[in-house]
Amino acid sequence: NAGVTQTPKFRILKIGQSMTLQCTQDMNHNYMYWYRQDPGMGLKLIYYSVGAGITDKGEVPNGYNVSRSTTEDFPLRLELAAPSQTSVYFCASSKTTGVTTGELFFGEGSRLTVL
Amino acid sequence: TQLLEQSPQFLSIQEGENLTVYCNSSSVFSSLQWYRQEPGEGPVLLVTVVTGGEVKKLKRLTFQFGDARKDSSLHITAAQPGDTGLYLCALNTNAGKSTFGDGTTLTVKP
């Protein structure tokens, strides 16, 4: 199993451009997450999904959109990129049932710079 | 609103010393996880605690979940340089939402 795969690993955008960060997992996990991490800080939840066709906002959703058309894929869309979106983005997935959250498995991260 | 607070933010100690880091929440949570992150990599799970008052040990690491399920601590005995990293706690809700604290950056000097 490849686990959680994110692409691209690095990207430089100009202000106002748009792009999509891709995330796919092959573990048949029901929950998927997108986080951003600024230097020396923790992870801020952008969006999450509890299953195909269901998405919900996290702590910092403004400027981003997501979709979950399949169990495996959870792309993150940035519209009109701004310098404040310069960050490292992590996708994660978990097999969560009941009230106990399963282990979150993370991708290697995507480093985005907006100039 | 900061749901999770971790302290201290930074900790630098000598090899062999003991340390404790803390994770506190204003809300009761269904479960809490501790992760460790090394530079350039994603976080990796250390432990999940579910029951109030629960204590779990992982070699030199001891994790404790508060009785009221609003706080947790991580104690490391005889720290080693390999323990260096960012330690993150994550609060989990019944809806499956996982929220992370800002972490404690630990440096263990040889």
Side-chain angles (χ1 to χ4, degrees):
Chain A
N1 288 348
V4 178
T5 302
Q6 291 182 233
T7 57
K9 287 187 170 51
F10 302 93
R11 183 71 187 269
I12 298 175
L13 282 180
K14 294 182 180 179
I15 294 172
Q17 286 185 321
S18 300
M19 75 159 297
T20 299
L21 297 177
Q22 302 290 344
C23 177
T24 188
Q25 53 93 6
D26 61 359
M27 298 175 282
N28 198 31
H29 285 172
N30 49 343
Y31 283 51
M32 294 189 75
Y33 310 81
W34 273 107
Y35 294 90
R36 60 175 286 173
Q37 185 174 37
D38 296 330
M41 303 297 286
L43 301 168
K44 299 296 184 188
L45 182 63
I46 305 171
Y47 272 95
Y48 67 107
S49 168
V50 301
I54 305 170
T55 63
D56 211 343
K57 296 179 180 178
E59 304 165 87
V60 290
N62 292 343
Y64 307 94
N65 278 300
V66 293
S67 60
R68 186 93 182 271
S69 57
T70 67
T71 299
E72 296 78 19
D73 300 307
F74 191 42
L76 177 71
R77 178 80 177 165
L78 280 73
E79 303 283 1
L80 299 175
S84 61
Q85 293 179 304
T86 294
S87 191
V88 180
Y89 292 83
F90 286 98
C91 179
S93 71
S94 71
K95 187 75 171 178
T96 295
T97 58
V99 299
T100 302
T101 297
E103 175 180 0
L104 267 66
F105 291 84
F106 285 85
E108 293 182 340
S110 298
R111 185 176 296 275
L112 177 66
T113 302
V114 182
L115 301 174
Chain B
T1 303
Q2 179 66 32
L3 287 179
L4 274 179
E5 289 189 358
Q6 290 191 244
S7 62
Q9 187 177 0
F10 299 97
L11 189 56
S12 182
I13 62 173
Q14 292 296 133
E15 182 176 2
E17 292 183 358
N18 301 332
L19 67 113
T20 302
V21 298
Y22 301 92
C23 176
N24 294 285
S25 171
S26 55
S27 306
V28 174
F29 35 81
S30 60
S31 65
L32 181 141
Q33 295 171 322
W34 283 94
Y35 289 80
R36 179 167 165 266
Q37 185 181 23
E38 296 192 22
E41 299 182 5
V44 176
L45 180 70
L46 295 173
V47 75
T48 300
V49 285
V50 179
T51 306
E54 185 174 8
V55 177
K56 284 191 173 180
K57 292 193 175 184
L58 184 65
K59 296 183 180 178
R60 294 176 294 101
L61 278 62
T62 301
F63 304 86
Q64 187 156 8
F65 201 14
D67 291 338
R69 292 164 56 196
K70 295 176 69 174
D71 60 275
S72 181
S73 64
L74 159 59
H75 181 80
I76 301 179
T77 304
Q80 299 177 1
D83 295 326
T84 293
L86 177 64
Y87 288 82
L88 296 158
C89 65
L91 175 160
N92 306 312
T93 69
N94 287 345
K97 183 176 170 181
S98 288
T99 304
F100 283 79
D102 283 338
T104 294
T105 299
L106 172 65
T107 303
V108 182
K109 301 175 184 177

